[in-house]
Amino acid sequence: YRDNNNNITIKLTCSHFLDLAFVKAILDDLMLTYHIDDQRVYAVGWKNGALFALQVAVKYSLQFAAVCSYMGG
């Protein structure tokens, strides 16, 4: 929504912990379903996703070979 100063506010309904668990669940499912080289799994985040990509890098550093954070912050 927009406030009186015309600023846009977005309220998040999910916690970052649930988002991180969701990413891990997707990764686990993909690894079981497809032949994926676990040494070549990467995460990329752009804009708001850039900060989330950094959180993924910290939480799941052993599951991702590299993480790219672009234009975040």
Side-chain angles (χ1 to χ4, degrees):
Y1 68 90
R2 291 185 184 270
D3 63 14
N4 293 335
N5 296 321
N6 208 28
N7 295 318
I8 297 174
T9 302
I10 299 172
K11 292 185 178 183
L12 300 177
T13 58
C14 296
S15 73
H16 289 293
F17 297 110
L18 292 176
D19 293 339
L20 287 168
F22 180 68
V23 167
K24 180 68 167 90
I26 289 173
L27 179 61
D28 290 345
D29 185 59
L30 291 172
M31 296 297 263
L32 289 173
T33 305
Y34 301 100
H35 181 71
I36 296 174
D37 182 352
D38 63 356
Q39 300 297 309
R40 295 182 181 184
V41 177
Y42 308 99
V44 177
W46 182 67
K47 295 279 189 172
N48 289 340
L51 295 176
F52 185 70
L54 293 176
Q55 291 176 340
V56 167
V58 170
K59 180 76 173 175
Y60 301 118
S61 61
L62 298 178
Q63 284 78 26
F64 290 88
V67 173
C68 175
S69 176
Y70 181 69
M71 292 182 65

